Amino acid sequence: MASGAVCFVLNRKSDWFDGSVTKNLEFENESLVLSNKNGENGIYISKAFDSMQNETVWHRMRLNISAPSSAVYRLKIYAGDTSEISIAVPGKSGLSKVDINEYINDPSIDINRKLDMFDDIGATCYENFTDILMYELKGRYLWFCMEFINYEENQLRINSIKIELPQVTFMDYLPEYYRKNSERNSFLERFIGIYQSIYVDLEDKIDYTPTQFDVDLTNREFLSWICEWLSVKDASIWGEKRLRKLVKEAIKIYKMKGTKRAIAKIVQEYAGIEPIIVEQFDVKNNMYYDIQKDIVENLFGDNGYIFTVMIPEAYVKDNESYVELLRVINGVKPVDSVCNLVVLSDQIYLGHHCYMGINSFITRNEELILDKKQKDVNNLIISNKSV
C-alpha cells in the first residue's frame, strides 16, 4: 500500500462539526456548503487530529471540493507534539502560553482572530489546492483551517477531506544509494510523490470498485450509470431513495416485463400503493357487459389492446405526477398495448369511475339535497365525507 497506513476522513455531519468552529457553513446533501450571505467569507477550523505518536510525519491530504472557477479557498495546516502554543493574547503583553484546543473553542474570541492565529504559529498555507503532500509537517497532533470566498450563485461544496498518515514514500523502495544520499522532503522525494499520488488514486479506485456497485452505498452519479446499464428508463423522475430500491428490484421486474404483475410492481415502487388493474377480458366476461356496453366501453376502452390502471387521487398530486406515472407504466407495459390511467377521485361523478368500497361509501351523509324545482342539472356530485 503506497498511501498512509492510517487515515482520518471527514464526510459526515458529526465529522465536520464535533469539536470544530465554523462560520457561514451548513451541512446539506452529505456535503459542507458555503451559504452565500452578502458575499461574506466562510471559515472552518478543525479539531485536533491525534496520530497517537510524537514526531509523526504526516503523509497526504485530499480534498474533494466542488467550487465555481472564481471561488477561492485558503488552507492552513499546523502540526506539533503538544497542544500548547505561544501567541499574543489581547490584554496581555508579550507572548502567552495557551492550549490551542481551548483557544479555538473559546466563544469569546472572534473567529477571524482564531484564523489569524494559524499565521502566528507558523502554519503552512495553500491556496486552491485539492491534493497536498504534507512531508514537512511533523508532530503528534494536526490542526487545519480553511477560508472560503465565493461571489457566484453556484454553491461551493466540500464533499470530503481525507488525511493520511504516517508518511509513506516510494523513496523507501529505491536502492539504498538514493535513500542514503537524499534527505527527507528533498526534491527527488517530492517529485516521485507526484507519481505516487497517481498510483495511489488508481489503487483506491480499484479497491473501492465493489462499493461503487453497492446500490445502497454508491453516489447518485454512479447510481445513474447503473440505471443506464440496467436500462432503467426515466431515472430522473424517481427520488433517490425510491430509485435505489427500484435498481435492486429491476431484474425481477424485467423478468416479468409486459405482464400485469410487472405493472403492479412498478406502480407500487413509484407511488407507494398497489394499483387496481383491469384488462379487457375482465370487462367482457362480466355478465352485465352486453346490457351496459356503451358505458363500460367509455370507461375501459373498446378494444383488447387497452388496459386500465386505477390509483387513488391522494397518490397523484398534479398533472406532472400523472404524466410521470404514465411514463413509468409505459416502460414495462406490452409494446402494442395502451394504458388508460385513471385517478380515482374521492367524489362521485355519475357516468365516471365510481366503485363501492373503493372511492365511494354508503354513509349517513345528508349534505345532498335535490331541489325538485331545479330543472337545469348538468352534473350531479355526491361527496363521500363521513359523519
Side-chain angles (χ1 to χ4, degrees):
M1 184 75 176
S3 61
V6 181
C7 68
F8 295 101
V9 179
L10 286 74
N11 58 5
R12 298 175 299 179
K13 187 174 183 179
S14 59
D15 299 330
W16 290 112
F17 291 103
D18 289 356
S20 65
V21 179
T22 65
K23 174 188 175 183
N24 294 337
L25 294 172
E26 301 172 353
F27 188 81
E28 61 179 48
N29 297 326
E30 305 300 321
S31 299
L32 194 65
V33 179
L34 172 62
S35 53
N36 268 337
K37 297 181 179 178
N38 300 320
E40 293 182 2
N41 64 336
I43 296 175
Y44 179 85
I45 303 177
S46 77
K47 61 183 178 181
F49 295 93
D50 188 357
S51 68
M52 307 300 291
Q53 185 174 350
N54 287 343
E55 297 188 353
T56 297
V57 179
W58 295 77
H59 180 63
R60 186 184 180 193
M61 178 182 286
R62 285 185 267 181
L63 298 85
N64 183 353
I65 294 180
S66 303
S69 58
S70 63
V72 176
Y73 45 96
R74 300 187 182 99
L75 174 66
K76 302 175 184 179
I77 311 174
Y78 173 77
D81 286 328
T82 176
S83 61
E84 192 176 80
I85 57 174
S86 296
I87 58 172
V89 177
K92 296 182 180 181
S93 60
L95 299 178
S96 301
K97 289 185 177 181
V98 298
D99 185 281
I100 189 171
N101 297 313
E102 295 177 359
Y103 189 85
I104 288 173
N105 289 282
D106 188 340
S108 65
I109 302 174
D110 183 74
I111 192 169
N112 290 292
R113 178 69 191 94
K114 297 174 184 178
L115 190 67
D116 295 336
M117 176 267 297
F118 280 84
D119 292 324
D120 298 339
I121 60 178
T124 306
C125 301
Y126 306 90
E127 185 170 305
N128 287 26
F129 276 74
T130 58
D131 197 336
I132 300 166
L133 295 176
M134 302 186 292
Y135 296 167
E136 71 276 13
L137 295 171
K138 181 186 292 187
R140 172 174 175 172
Y141 304 100
L142 181 138
W143 297 264
F144 71 88
C145 68
M146 295 185 291
E147 182 180 15
F148 307 97
I149 302 172
N150 178 32
Y151 296 103
E152 294 190 19
E153 293 183 1
N154 295 334
Q155 287 184 324
L156 187 151
R157 310 179 69 88
I158 308 95
N159 303 309
S160 66
I161 292 179
K162 186 176 183 180
I163 304 169
E164 301 173 4
L165 69 145
Q167 180 188 17
V168 178
T169 171
F170 277 177
M171 288 287 292
D172 296 331
Y173 299 95
L174 294 180
E176 185 179 357
Y177 173 82
Y178 294 96
R179 288 183 277 123
K180 183 174 64 175
N181 293 280
S182 179
E183 295 180 358
R184 288 289 181 183
N185 198 29
S186 67
F187 170 78
L188 177 61
E189 187 174 47
R190 299 186 71 84
F191 181 75
I192 293 177
I194 297 173
Y195 300 95
Q196 178 178 338
S197 299
I198 296 172
Y199 173 84
V200 169
D201 291 344
L202 180 59
E203 189 180 53
D204 284 349
K205 288 182 180 180
I206 295 172
D207 289 342
Y208 288 101
T209 295
T211 305
Q212 286 284 82
F213 286 93
D214 189 318
V215 176
D216 293 321
L217 299 177
T218 191
N219 56 50
R220 179 61 190 255
E221 182 181 355
F222 201 81
L223 182 65
S224 299
W225 183 87
I226 294 176
C227 289
E228 293 179 6
W229 189 48
L230 294 175
S231 191
V232 176
K233 296 181 179 180
D234 300 315
S236 60
I237 67 177
W238 292 74
E240 184 171 336
K241 185 177 180 180
R242 291 183 300 173
L243 184 59
R244 292 182 189 276
K245 189 176 180 182
L246 173 66
V247 171
K248 288 189 284 188
E249 298 289 333
I251 301 300
K252 294 180 182 178
I253 293 174
Y254 286 144
K255 282 184 177 180
M256 52 187 182
K257 187 176 181 179
T259 66
K260 181 177 179 179
R261 287 174 56 205
I263 296 169
K265 180 68 175 176
I266 200 80
V267 172
Q268 187 171 20
E269 294 294 342
Y270 182 81
I273 186 172
E274 187 173 353
I276 300 170
I277 301 176
V278 180
E279 298 178 89
Q280 283 294 310
F281 73 86
D282 296 322
V283 175
K284 293 183 178 180
N285 288 340
N286 189 284
M287 60 186 295
Y288 299 105
Y289 176 74
D290 293 330
I291 301 175
Q292 299 179 326
K293 183 177 180 181
D294 293 339
I295 297 175
V296 173
E297 287 185 349
N298 181 55
L299 295 175
F300 297 102
D302 58 357
N303 65 76
Y305 296 100
I306 298 176
F307 65 93
T308 302
V309 177
M310 294 181 282
I311 189 170
E313 188 177 36
Y315 295 88
V316 183
K317 299 179 181 180
D318 48 36
N319 291 336
E320 184 178 352
S321 300
Y322 180 92
V323 173
E324 289 177 351
L325 180 56
L326 189 60
R327 287 169 61 185
V328 168
I329 295 172
N330 288 337
V332 297
K333 71 175 182 64
V335 176
D336 56 352
S337 64
V338 178
C339 174
N340 174 32
L341 179 58
V342 175
V343 178
L344 296 175
S345 174
D346 60 356
Q347 295 177 328
I348 297 174
Y349 293 85
L350 297 184
H352 290 72
H353 290 272
C354 170
Y355 306 97
M356 188 63 64
I358 296 176
N359 66 332
S360 63
F361 305 88
I362 296 178
T363 69
R364 296 163 62 184
N365 195 332
E366 298 178 358
E367 291 183 3
L368 174 65
I369 299 174
L370 297 178
D371 187 350
K372 295 181 180 179
K373 297 179 181 179
Q374 185 177 354
K375 296 181 180 179
D376 300 328
V377 180
N378 297 321
N379 296 303
L380 179 59
I381 303 176
I382 304 177
S383 174
N384 70 336
K385 296 179 181 178
S386 301
V387 296

